């Protein structure tokens, strides 16, 4: 069984808007709500790792070490998955409103140790991480599986996906999505 882990813990420091970027309105909903809705619509059980701001989403857990980098949020998700009957974690980001349910499904259905979504040949999210690679993931810093994918290319399968992997990091990004 695979579960979705929506990482949504960062401080959003490049976003100069009146609120945290994940809480910013986008087409009538918050940015994070789009990402969450798409993950849920994939049919996967969804775990949301928050940190800088509480999101009030089902399946939300707080990462008290969020300021130490993305790796700590990934480790929170991995620890929860490891305690259950989970074979893989499919990781996505809360600031990517255009990653559609089909992308989550396609990546989740791979049996590769690491499966990474591609959009027009460019790697993005989500990324499926099989239980066998969890001990190889970083525990600190601001990277998830990127270094591991570079060092262990034989473990990685690319999965062509529909959707738009652009994230919302700035007010200008939000304007482009609106």
């Amino acid at each position: 069984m695979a579960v979705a882990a929506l990482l949504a813990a960062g401080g959003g420091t490049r976003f100069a808007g009146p609120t945290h970027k994940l809480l910013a309105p986008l087409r009538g909903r918050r940015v994070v709500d789009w990402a969450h809705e798409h993950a849920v619509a994939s049919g996967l059980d969804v775990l949301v790792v928050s940190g800088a701001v509480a999101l009030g989403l089902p399946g939300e857990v707080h990462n008290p070490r969020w300021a130490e980098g993305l790796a700590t949020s990934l480790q929170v998700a991995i620890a929860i998955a490891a305690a259950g009957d989970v074979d893989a974690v499919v990781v996505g980001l809360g600031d990517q409103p255009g990653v559609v349910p089909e992308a989550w499904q396609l990546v989740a259905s791979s049996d590769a140790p690491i499966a990474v979504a591609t959009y027009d040949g460019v790697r993005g999210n989500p990324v499926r991480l099989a239980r066998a690679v969890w001990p190889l993931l970083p525990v600190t810093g601001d990277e998830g599986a990127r270094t591991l994918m570079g060092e262990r290319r034989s473990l990685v399968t690319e999965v062509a996906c529909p959707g738009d992997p652009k994230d919302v990091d700035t007010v200008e990004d939000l304007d482009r999505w609106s």
Side-chain angles (χ1 to χ4, degrees), residues 9 21-22 24 30 34 39 41 51 74 77 89 99 102 112 120-121 133 137-138 150 155 168:
K21 70 179 182 177
L22 296 176
R30 304 176 305 171
W34 288 100
L74 179 56
V89 174
V99 175
E102 188 178 352
D120 295 324
V133 303
L137 294 167
L155 299 176
V168 176

Side-chain angles (χ1 to χ4, degrees), residues 129-173:
L129 302 167
R131 185 181 279 265
V133 303
W134 297 350
L136 306 174
L137 294 167
V139 295
T140 60
D142 208 25
E143 250 186 37
R146 184 179 309 140
T147 299
L148 177 59
M149 289 190 299
E151 293 172 349
R152 304 276 184 98
R153 293 181 182 166
S154 64
L155 299 176
V156 181
T157 296
E158 293 183 346
V159 179
C161 292
D164 187 340
K166 292 182 192 82
D167 56 2
V168 176
D169 281 334
T170 66
V171 172
E172 294 77 21
D173 294 339

Side-chain angles (χ1 to χ4, degrees), residues 20-32:
H20 189 283
K21 70 179 182 177
L22 296 176
L23 305 177
L26 173 64
R27 293 186 224 138
R29 301 204 312 262
R30 304 176 305 171
V31 168
V32 72

Side-chain angles (χ1 to χ4, degrees), residues 26-172:
L26 173 64
R27 293 186 224 138
R29 301 204 312 262
R30 304 176 305 171
V31 168
V32 72
D33 293 333
W34 288 100
H36 182 258
E37 178 183 305
H38 292 170
V40 169
S42 74
L44 296 167
D45 289 339
V46 179
L47 167 69
V48 179
V49 181
S50 64
V53 293
L55 304 169
L57 293 170
E60 183 174 342
V61 295
H62 178 73
N63 173 11
R65 296 177 51 214
W66 66 268
E68 296 174 34
L70 182 137
T72 63
S73 292
L74 179 56
Q75 288 298 322
V76 166
I78 295 296
I80 291 169
D85 185 26
V86 175
D87 300 321
V89 174
V90 185
V91 181
L93 303 178
D95 66 354
Q96 293 182 315
V99 175
V100 296
E102 188 178 352
W104 286 92
Q105 292 164 341
L106 288 166
V107 171
S109 67
S110 173
D111 61 358
I114 302 173
V116 59
T118 62
Y119 302 87
D120 295 324
V122 178
R123 287 181 176 181
N125 289 302
V127 176
R128 180 187 182 276
L129 302 167
R131 185 181 279 265
V133 303
W134 297 350
L136 306 174
L137 294 167
V139 295
T140 60
D142 208 25
E143 250 186 37
R146 184 179 309 140
T147 299
L148 177 59
M149 289 190 299
E151 293 172 349
R152 304 276 184 98
R153 293 181 182 166
S154 64
L155 299 176
V156 181
T157 296
E158 293 183 346
V159 179
C161 292
D164 187 340
K166 292 182 192 82
D167 56 2
V168 176
D169 281 334
T170 66
V171 172
E172 294 77 21

